[in-house]
Amino acid sequence: MIDQNGKPVTKPALKQYLETYNAGVRGSKEFGALPRALITICDGLVSGKTTYVKCVEGQVQLSRRKDGKVAGGGL
């Protein structure tokens, strides 16, 4: 995954991005700084499903929990 600056995303950065995404304030400045690909992937996840995102350190499993938040396995 590539961030807004064109650089590969690290696991700590992905963790911060997921915290911002889960905050749910879509009109905020912070939400606008999220990578578009991450928003598309997270919006497409349904409850109980998982997907994988590639970071600098390797793959990270993302899943949508029953409460509607996206969790990153191994972060």
Side-chain angles (χ1 to χ4, degrees), residues 4-5 18 27 45 63 74:
Q4 297 289 59
N5 299 323
L18 288 176
L45 277 176
S63 59

Side-chain angles (χ1 to χ4, degrees), residues 20-31:
T20 303
Y21 179 83
N22 286 329
V25 185
R26 292 201 173 246
S28 69
K29 178 181 173 186
E30 293 81 15
F31 196 89

Side-chain angles (χ1 to χ4, degrees), residues 29-44:
K29 178 181 173 186
E30 293 81 15
F31 196 89
L34 294 177
R36 296 289 132 216
L38 180 64
I39 294 171
T40 303
I41 291 168
C42 290
D43 285 350

Side-chain angles (χ1 to χ4, degrees), residues 52-68:
Y52 293 89
V53 175
K54 201 170 211 176
C55 293
V56 174
E57 296 91 358
Q59 286 186 342
V60 175
Q61 179 181 340
L62 300 180
S63 59
R64 184 164 302 272
R65 300 185 305 204
K66 290 182 181 181
D67 64 358

